[in-house]
Each structure stands twice: as C-alpha cells, then as structure tokens.
Amino acid sequence: MKLRSIIFTLITLAFFACNHSPTGDDGYDLWIKYHSIADQQKLASYNNLITSIAVPGTSATSTIIKTELQRGLNDLFGREITVVADDTSDQLLVVGTQEQSDIIKQYTDKAVLDTLGSDGFILKSVQNQNKHLIIIAANTDVGLLYGSYHLLRLVQTNSNLANLRFISKPKIQYRLLDHWDNLDRTVERGYAGRSLWKWDELPNILDPRYTDYARANASLGINGSVINNVNANPRILLPEYLKKVAALADVFRPYGIRIFLSINFSSPISAEFGIESSRRGGIGDLSTSDPSDPAVQQWWKDKAKEIYDLIPDFGGFLVKANSEGMPGPQEYGKNHADGANMLADALAPYNGIVMWRAFVYTPDTDPDRAKRAYKEFVPLDGKFRSNVFVQAKNGPIDFQSREPVQPLFGAMPKTPLMLELQITQEYLGHSTHLVYLAPMWKEYFEFDTYAEGEGTTLGKIIDGSAQRYHMTGIAGVTNIGDDRNWTGHFFGQANWYAFGRLAWDYTLSAGQLADEWIRMSLTSDNKVVETVKTMMLGSWEACIDYMTPLGLHHIMQEGFHYGPQPDFDDARIDWTSVYYHRADSIGLGFDRSSTGSDAVGQYFSPLREQFDNINTCPEKYLLWFHHVPWDFKMKSGRIMWDELCYKYDSGIEYVDRMVATWASLNGKVDPAIYAHVAAKLKQQRTDAGIWHDTCVNYFQTFSKRPIPSFK
Ligand code: BDP
C-alpha cells in the first residue's frame, strides 16, 4: 500500500514537473501578467502615488474594474492595495463617472466628457493640498474599464504617473475580432489549436478561458467578436446553438464585448436541399433564400427577434455571399445590396448591423481578379441601408505578404467601408514564422488613396473623417486558438496586441506597440527590449523578401498556403500561381498597367499614373503592376533578375540575424519562452531557405541568367 502510494506520488510529481515547469512562462497570461516592478526607484514613486482605490460603481463591469486593478496593482507593486470609498485616504485612485463620484464631478469637465462618447476616458492626476489623486473618468463603466487597463499599462511599462493628463477615445467605433471557427471546433486558417468555443459543453459549462479571452480583448479596447467562420454553417442559427451563443454573450458583456455571428445566406432553406453536400441547404423550411421573397424576409425578421430575445445587445451579422461557393443573392438575380438590405431590415429594430463582405471575385466580372470587388461594389454605392457596412480586406487579392490598398477604399463615399485585416498568418508562415504585422498595418493606414485629394489615407477613410461616414469599423481575423499560449507562436500575441491597440488608435507607431508589448509580456530590461523590438520591426519586410519580393504574390502551396509552389497551374486559373507571376522569357509580373488589365485605372490620380509608369511605380509593387523585363534597371543599379535574387538573399540573412539575436538573449528572457521561440526560428530559417531555393531556381528557368552571389 505504502509503496504504491509512493510510486503514485512520484509519478504525479514527474507529471507535474513535465507539464508545469516552475521557471517557465507558458504564455497563457499574455500581456496582462503583471510582473512585479523590478526598478526600485520607479516602484517607490508609484508607492507614493497610489495606496488605495475607489470604484464607486456597482455594475458587473465595476466589479471587474475593482478586481483587475487590485490584482494588477497588488502584483505590480508587491503589496496590498485597499479598496475604499472615494472620500477617504490620501494617494487615492478614483475610477468613476460623474454620476457615481463627487470627486470625479469636482475634477472633470462635463463638456470634455461629452466629447468622449461611450468608450473614451480621462486619466489625470490631481493635487489637492496634501492629497494626491489619480482619477479615471468616463461616461460609462466600459469607458472606465478601458481607462483602468490604460493605467495598468502605464504601470506595466514603468511610465511616469506624476502629472498625468491623458484623454483618449477610439478613432473607430466597431473594433472586432473575426473568428474563422467552425462548429466542429476546427479553425479555418487557424494555427493555434482548436477553437476556443466548446460547443458541446455550452451553455451549461463555461470554460474560464472565455473570461480570460474577454479580459485580454477588453484590455486593448476590442468591443466585439464574430465568433464563427465566414464560411458559415447555417446551424449556428438553430435555437440550441443560439442558447450557447447567448451564454458566451453573457460572459463577454461586462467586458464591453458584443457578439456577432457570421450567417449563411441560405439559412432559411430546408435542409432537404443539401445542408452538407453543398453550401446551399439551410435550417429553415423554405425552398428559396431570394431576398425579394416576403417569406424569406419574414424568416430573417423572426430569426432576428429570436436572437434579440436571448441576446439583447447582439451586434449583428457578418456575411460572405457569392464568394468561394458561398450562397448569395446573385443566385436569384439580385445584387449584394439587395441581400444586405434584407438582413439590415431584419436587424434594424434592434440597432443591429450587417457587415457585408466585399471579398468576391466571380471570374465573369473581369479577367483580372484584383479588379473584381471594385467592379461589383462601386456601382452599388449609396444603395445600402444605413446599418450596413461593406467590409473589405486591405488589399485587392487576399491577405498577401504585401499588396497595394484595395481600390474600393475611397471609391464608395456613400457607404461606410469597414476594414478587414488578417492577424492570423495565413500567407505569412502560419504560427511558425516570427512576423510582426504592425508595420504592415501601418503601411495600409498611412497609404494615401488621394480619394479626397492628397492626404486621404486609408486611416482617414475608415475612421470616417475623410468621407463623413456615420459609422466606422475594423475587424481582424484572429490568430487565437486553444493552445495554452493562445496564438501558437509567442510572438503571435504581439500581433493580437497590436491589432487591438491600432483598432483603437491607428496613429500609434509599430515601434511603440512593440515596446509596450515586450515590456508587458517578456521583460523590462531596456537593452533586451531594444534588441527584441529591432528584430520584430524588420521581420515583416524580411518575410516579404524571402517569400514574395518586389510585388510578387500568390505563389504559395495550393490550399495550404505555407510553402512556395510557383509552378502550380492545375486549378481554377485565378487560384494558380502562374496566373499571378506570369514568368516568361521576357520577364516577370502581372501587367496591370493601362495597357494590361488596367487595374491601375481603379486608383485615384496621381496614384494611377504613378503605378501605371514602370519607372515611377514603387518597386515594392513593381511585379504587382507590371510585367518587368529581366534586365530592367532597378534603383539599386542591378537588373531586375539580380535584384530579385538579392531580395531573396536579404530575407534569409535577416532570419539568420534573428536566430543569432535571439540566441544572444539566452538567459536574459524566460527560459520556456526562449526555448519555444528558438525552435520556431530554426524552422523559419529552414523555410526561408526553401522559399529562396524554390523560387530562385524556378524563375531562373525563365530568366536564363546566372544566380548572382552577394557574399
Ligand atoms: C481566404 C482563405 C479562406 C477564406 C477566405 C475568406 O484562404 O480560407 O475563407 O479567404 O476570406 O484567404 O473568405
């Protein structure tokens, strides 16, 4: 008996040792891990500023604020912060609305608060005789929650808290994550395990992870989640699933996160018409989903009512229609506006919205895939109901390593366009490659479309300022799964983080966001922060270089979208690689100039002219817009073929440098994170080599020139 229990204990201990390395950070706590502050001077200064907190509100959100501030500050300061009423103690942090707190009323200006809407907040210090106060004020409890996370972030990044005077409000109203999660818990283009949502356990069992998910998102200001795949299974709208969705909505609500659903346009149709075999059959009892049919309209109205009875703050529907086999109004001779408006009418009584995706590329529209969304949607400008967004991806093709901006942006002034970015690295090395995406997103936000003259950046279009949108939105296709560290790659967390922060304020710099994230997630050692930040900031450009430099695109492995397959030519033509790169004995690249497909014609002047001319087209887009002769002289003085090889080489060199840089941090960062990232980088180096060799060797069969050496 005794021996057995000793053996059992040993086995248990061994198991524990393997699975719970006491010294290793498993990444679960993301950027909200609240490590104690190492800098003693800073700590002393904080100790003088905050000893207790007052959160007079009584809502579920107020309770979260209290718990989060206490938990965060206790851990960061390494001592107990007390929760008190707002008229006691010195060195007090007060968090409240004007209605909740006299102190807030006394020290904040109603007129300023009135400009902050429901989400904005004020953070300021107040010196009153010998009493020092820090106050967080907002109009709603969710605004206060955002302000509280901001304060915690300031402490986590060891910022100065004396003389605080900070006002913030989001530039964009709907800040959503799109999950491409299926009901069987697989995740389309997800590389971090299975879906977070355990449909078989819901609604009765609530995984604590749902709360941690909401916490993490609220800490960034994300306020909505589309929880299922755009390739939507109609079953999500069955009563049994709606109850599960409602249970999640209840968890998310106090964190200011609303739930949205992707819907299948054929949902009203009876399953008899083939729910599994095609993407056509639905869950209803109708034989059509024609948006002009009164029975179909009524079906959606009834469904909307059923949803809102369960989820009063339900956000609305995301729709992928007439795209990649998904059903849509065009099957009934109707257009995208007809389809979107029918759904919009069903949701309007409850203030719900429709996000209708512009990711459509029916071959009949135009031989050049890059032109199709524009051609289908621009004629519909002004035809959508006011609660409809048209949601477009950043580029005209599909989340490639780099694309010029989707020309729709700016071209539909009467329709609010919502921007869809991809956080999951479908085409950028999945969760294996370290690619920090904030520099890419910044390139898009700052892309000048010239839609309303110079300075009409994409940022100003989607924040509504350029074309006076009445509502604004942004969505990121998430990289989250049920892996212990959420994103598969530890550095994938930085992309989730940066997306959320940019959705709030796209003018923040990629460097600042990397800096914050590293300090909150990894270390506050300044030297290490600088080293890691530098490595992150160049990683996107490096990935472009070793995968698809100079504007190349869509030459990856069919279906899998990971490695290279430039010779792929065996599918629907606009899914092949050869369609996009067009390599031949003369040169390389897709001719989208005015004498080619004329995709340049979809951009505003002077961009159109700039892109059209091979000599003025930015080299980063050269092979996107032009079929470029192999011996075309590049700005570097090299011919295009040599430049292409040079870029592929540079990409590899960068990964080599990342490997060496990371190795130099051994012992300076958490050992578990160190080992995890080191292993991923090793694989990234191997993959970069494969991209280089495959592409250079393949294109050489056309260029018929020697592969230059740059050593
Ligand atoms: C492509 C993905 C595909 C998605 C599609 C979409 O390969 O899995 O369903 O986009 O956005 O990038 O609808």
Side-chain angles (χ1 to χ4, degrees):
M1 221 22 210
K2 230 174 164 190
L3 186 65
R4 269 170 73 188
S5 76
I6 291 170
I7 291 172
F8 178 76
T9 312
L10 286 176
I11 291 174
T12 313
L13 282 176
F15 175 82
F16 197 77
C18 293
N19 286 279
H20 303 269
S21 154
T23 48
D25 181 342
D26 63 11
Y28 184 85
D29 290 330
L30 298 162
W31 49 87
I32 36 181
K33 53 181 60 132
Y34 307 133
H35 281 166
S36 59
I37 295 166
D39 180 338
Q40 291 306 313
Q41 246 183 333
K42 263 274 134 66
L43 187 58
S45 78
Y46 292 154
N47 282 339
N48 285 332
L49 293 176
I50 305 174
T51 55
S52 44
I53 54 175
V55 186
T58 53
S59 69
T61 307
S62 310
T63 308
I64 290 169
I65 295 172
K66 242 174 271 177
T67 318
E68 194 74 29
L69 282 173
Q70 244 192 324
R71 170 181 181 172
L73 296 177
N74 283 355
D75 289 357
L76 285 157
F77 294 169
R79 65 183 165 78
E80 196 70 24
I81 298 289
T82 47
V83 180
V84 295
D86 66 348
D87 54 357
T88 43
S89 167
D90 322 339
Q91 291 107 22
L92 185 64
L93 167 64
V94 187
V95 188
T97 61
Q98 285 205 337
E99 292 73 43
Q100 289 164 353
S101 158
D102 288 340
I103 290 190
I104 299 292
K105 205 169 198 163
Q106 187 181 346
Y107 293 113
T108 55
D109 185 349
K110 177 88 172 53
V112 175
L113 276 166
D114 283 348
T115 65
L116 296 182
S118 58
D119 293 356
F121 60 86
I122 298 173
L123 196 58
K124 78 178 196 188
S125 16
V126 178
Q127 194 67 44
N128 181 2
Q129 285 135 22
N130 55 0
K131 193 165 171 166
H132 185 279
L133 297 173
I134 293 181
I135 62 173
I136 300 175
N139 296 312
T140 66
D141 289 342
V142 169
L144 297 174
L145 181 64
Y146 294 149
S148 303
Y149 277 118
H150 193 83
L151 179 81
L152 285 166
R153 181 159 47 238
L154 291 179
V155 179
Q156 286 174 282
T157 53
N158 293 2
S159 312
N160 195 351
L161 292 192
N163 308 317
L164 276 177
R165 203 153 270 280
F166 183 74
I167 298 183
S168 183
K169 75 170 193 183
K171 291 201 185 307
I172 297 172
Q173 189 186 354
Y174 289 90
R175 306 175 296 278
L176 312 190
L177 287 187
D178 285 0
H179 287 260
W180 285 358
D181 294 19
N182 298 312
L183 299 186
D184 63 3
R185 295 197 60 206
T186 55
V187 182
E188 177 144 348
R189 313 307 179 186
Y191 312 103
R194 309 218 301 151
S195 166
L196 284 181
W197 326 127
K198 296 180 173 167
W199 295 108
D200 50 342
E201 293 182 1
L202 284 162
N204 297 325
I205 301 175
L206 296 172
D207 189 323
R209 210 162 172 162
Y210 304 151
T211 306
D212 291 333
Y213 165 87
R215 261 184 81 215
N217 281 320
S219 80
L220 306 175
I222 285 170
N223 65 357
S225 179
V226 185
I227 59 173
N228 63 320
N229 193 357
V230 286
N231 295 318
N233 187 324
R235 285 201 182 93
I236 191 72
L237 295 180
L238 285 172
E240 70 192 82
Y241 273 99
L242 291 178
K243 284 194 200 105
K244 298 170 194 277
V245 176
L248 285 175
D250 290 342
V251 176
F252 296 172
R253 187 169 300 113
Y255 290 90
I257 295 168
R258 294 165 79 191
I259 282 202
F260 297 72
L261 291 176
S262 295
I263 59 98
N264 185 304
F265 200 77
S266 283
S267 299
I269 299 183
S270 158
E272 275 170 53
F273 293 86
I275 189 161
E276 299 294 1
S277 56
S278 74
R279 287 166 163 174
R280 297 258 161 337
I283 54 162
D285 50 8
L286 305 180
S287 59
T288 175
S289 59
D290 184 337
S292 67
D293 185 317
V296 174
Q297 294 164 2
Q298 192 56 45
W299 191 91
W300 284 108
K301 286 186 175 145
D302 294 344
K303 194 43 90 178
K305 177 167 186 328
E306 185 187 339
I307 295 174
Y308 280 93
D309 281 347
L310 287 166
I311 312 168
D313 59 348
F314 179 69
F317 295 147
L318 172 63
V319 195
K320 171 174 178 178
N322 295 121
S323 165
E324 298 187 332
M326 290 298 286
Q330 290 176 347
E331 270 140 60
Y332 308 98
K334 308 293 182 320
N335 64 34
H336 291 291
D338 299 325
N341 291 344
M342 172 196 55
L343 296 170
D345 289 344
L347 296 170
Y350 317 95
N351 297 319
I353 58 159
V354 172
M355 297 163 287
W356 190 271
R357 295 176 88 227
F359 180 67
V360 298
Y361 54 101
T362 317
D364 308 341
T365 315
D366 193 280
D368 180 1
R369 174 170 165 186
K371 293 174 66 185
R372 294 174 189 160
Y374 181 103
K375 284 179 85 171
E376 282 205 50
F377 277 88
V378 170
L380 299 176
D381 190 26
K383 304 228 158 70
F384 292 93
R385 297 280 193 269
S386 64
N387 58 336
V388 177
F389 278 111
V390 168
Q391 177 171 311
K393 294 184 182 182
N394 47 277
I397 299 281
D398 185 11
F399 296 139
Q400 297 301 292
S401 67
R402 170 181 265 141
E403 302 189 24
V405 153
Q406 159 67 266
L408 264 182
F409 289 105
M412 295 184 68
K414 295 189 207 126
T415 312
L417 295 187
M418 181 159 173
L419 174 64
E420 180 178 316
L421 298 173
Q422 195 179 46
I423 311 170
T424 193
Q425 292 166 232
E426 176 178 355
Y427 297 99
L428 291 113
H430 297 186
S431 62
T432 303
H433 293 199
L434 192 167
V435 185
Y436 177 49
L437 297 175
M440 152 147 84
W441 297 329
K442 289 294 290 183
E443 180 170 295
Y444 287 103
F445 288 125
E446 286 163 9
F447 188 105
D448 195 344
T449 67
Y450 289 87
E452 306 286 336
E454 193 176 353
T456 318
T457 58
L458 177 70
K460 288 187 177 154
I461 290 172
I462 60 156
D463 77 7
S465 60
Q467 298 184 319
R468 289 175 297 282
Y469 290 166
H470 61 275
M471 58 179 193
T472 56
I474 183 168
V477 179
T478 174
N479 56 352
I480 304 170
D482 74 344
D483 275 5
R484 181 71 193 157
N485 74 2
W486 303 84
T487 52
H489 198 308
F490 172 68
F491 277 86
Q493 299 181 356
N495 292 330
W496 177 6
Y497 180 85
F499 170 79
R501 297 276 288 130
L502 289 169
W504 181 278
D505 181 358
Y506 63 81
T507 67
L508 295 169
S509 76
Q512 178 189 330
L513 296 176
D515 196 288
E516 288 175 8
W517 176 79
I518 299 164
R519 287 178 194 280
M520 295 162 79
S521 314
L522 192 63
T523 177
S524 53
D525 176 325
N526 288 331
K527 256 177 96 175
V528 178
V529 172
E530 280 313 309
T531 309
V532 176
K533 182 164 62 175
T534 307
M535 180 174 102
M536 287 167 76
L537 284 172
S539 59
W540 168 53
E541 201 71 51
C543 177
I544 298 171
D545 285 349
Y546 65 71
M547 285 185 177
T548 44
L550 301 176
L552 278 175
H553 52 288
H554 213 293
I555 56 169
M556 66 286 156
Q557 250 165 354
E558 189 220 349
F560 192 35
H561 298 179
Y562 186 73
Q565 200 178 352
D567 61 351
F568 177 59
D569 67 354
D570 186 21
R572 186 178 136 170
I573 179 166
D574 54 3
W575 286 343
T576 67
S577 300
V578 295
Y579 167 84
Y580 292 97
H581 66 64
R582 314 241 158 164
D584 58 18
S585 60
I586 295 160
L588 179 65
F590 197 127
D591 184 1
R592 297 192 167 105
S593 71
S594 50
T595 50
S597 81
D598 197 27
V600 295
Q602 294 183 338
Y603 291 89
F604 291 92
S605 286
L607 272 190
R608 172 187 300 174
E609 294 75 17
Q610 193 198 358
F611 291 163
D612 192 29
N613 182 338
I614 195 168
N615 294 308
T616 57
C617 180
E619 288 187 350
K620 60 186 177 186
Y621 305 134
L622 197 61
L623 305 177
W624 184 282
F625 286 117
H626 294 277
H627 190 67
V628 182
W630 295 110
D631 59 2
F632 177 80
K633 250 306 183 19
M634 304 290 287
K635 299 210 170 67
S636 62
R638 288 184 276 269
I639 59 166
M640 185 272 280
W641 163 248
D642 289 353
E643 185 75 5
L644 187 75
C645 296
Y646 175 77
K647 288 283 184 189
Y648 273 109
D649 272 23
S650 320
I652 291 204
E653 259 175 44
Y654 195 91
V655 182
D656 278 336
R657 281 207 297 282
M658 291 208 286
V659 170
T661 304
W662 191 252
S664 75
L665 301 180
N666 194 359
K668 297 185 179 143
V669 294
D670 177 89
I673 293 179
Y674 175 79
H676 157 87
V677 175
K680 297 262 185 194
L681 281 170
K682 198 167 161 208
Q683 185 61 45
Q684 183 170 0
R685 174 61 182 82
T686 305
D687 295 341
I690 293 171
W691 270 94
H692 172 283
D693 295 353
T694 311
C695 295
V696 169
N697 291 336
Y698 170 76
F699 290 130
Q700 190 193 27
T701 63
F702 298 92
S703 81
K704 307 248 190 283
R705 286 170 165 77
I707 297 169
S709 166
F710 302 100
K711 297 271 178 299

